[in-house]
Amino acid sequence: MEVYPPAVCEPVDILTYTAQISGCIATFEAVLAGTAPFEYLWNFGTFGAYTTVNPVVNFQATGTYTGTLWAWNCTGQYSDTMALEVRVECAPPVHHYIIYLPLVLRNG
């Protein structure tokens, strides 16, 4: 019978995050170091909390928003946190108007 050494679990470290922004919508991605698999909790307050790897958040209005990312690995043994900040510029809604002008007929 072979004996294997215990698995080593390197603590998770959030190195950085990015946000791909399109109007009011931001898609987040984090770069982590440590032993996978990782678990995530992205918290944006009134805009929701997400446990997905790459959450998509609709901020609904132009502004600068903050949040927090928590990451765990090795069955929750180690964790790290990072503050988040993102600026979104929502385009104003496009309104299409149809203007009907009176038709004037002349008897000629």
Side-chain angles (χ1 to χ4, degrees):
M1 180 167 128
E2 293 184 41
V3 177
Y4 296 97
V8 175
C9 181
E10 295 179 19
V12 64
D13 186 22
I14 303 170
L15 303 177
T16 189
Y17 73 95
T18 58
Q20 297 294 324
I21 300 168
S22 177
C24 288
I25 298 174
T27 303
F28 291 88
E29 180 178 3
V31 176
L32 308 180
T35 305
F38 301 111
E39 294 181 46
Y40 301 81
L41 176 59
W42 305 80
N43 188 343
F44 297 97
T46 58
F47 297 101
Y50 307 84
T51 57
T52 58
V53 175
N54 302 109
V56 178
V57 182
N58 184 349
F59 289 103
Q60 304 173 3
T62 296
T64 301
Y65 298 94
T66 59
T68 306
L69 167 60
W70 286 274
W72 295 268
N73 71 339
C74 304
T75 64
Q77 184 176 0
Y78 297 107
S79 67
D80 191 16
T81 62
M82 178 177 276
L84 309 170
E85 183 174 284
V86 63
R87 170 90 181 145
V88 296
E89 297 279 341
C90 302
V94 176
H95 297 285
H96 297 280
Y97 296 98
I98 299 175
I99 300 173
Y100 295 95
L101 300 175
L103 179 61
V104 178
L105 299 174
R106 300 178 97 196
N107 289 335

